[in-house]
Amino acid sequence: AASKKDPVRFIHELIYLMDRFGHFLKEAFDNDASFKHKTQSDFEFFFNKNKRNPEFLSLYIDEKLCKGDKCLNDKDMESMLDRSMVLI
């Protein structure tokens, strides 16, 4: 229900959660390849369960590129885009 109200925030929170899992994976499991693969595949599975998530992702990216974060430099913008693409 939250994603229907604010799809941009939904994607933002999903990316934040992925980042937290990535940090946990690095700190607790020394970036173990099998844990990393399982975590990534679970995020992909979750993301693909809702057929509207690609639309939500495009809205998120559009907002970041067009209006929301004009203060981001090229490196930060590239990082944001890379983190966004990991979902799919």
Side-chain angles (χ1 to χ4, degrees), residues 22-58:
H23 178 73
F24 179 70
L25 178 69
K26 180 180 176 187
E27 297 298 317
F29 295 101
D30 196 30
N31 265 344
D32 181 77
S34 63
F35 279 117
K36 190 173 188 175
H37 175 73
K38 181 63 175 159
T39 301
Q40 180 62 37
S41 92
D42 288 347
F43 267 101
E44 288 175 12
F45 176 79
F46 173 78
F47 185 80
N48 290 319
K49 283 193 68 92
N50 181 346
K51 64 182 177 186
R52 295 199 59 205
N53 280 345
E55 175 188 351
F56 296 164
L57 180 60
S58 71

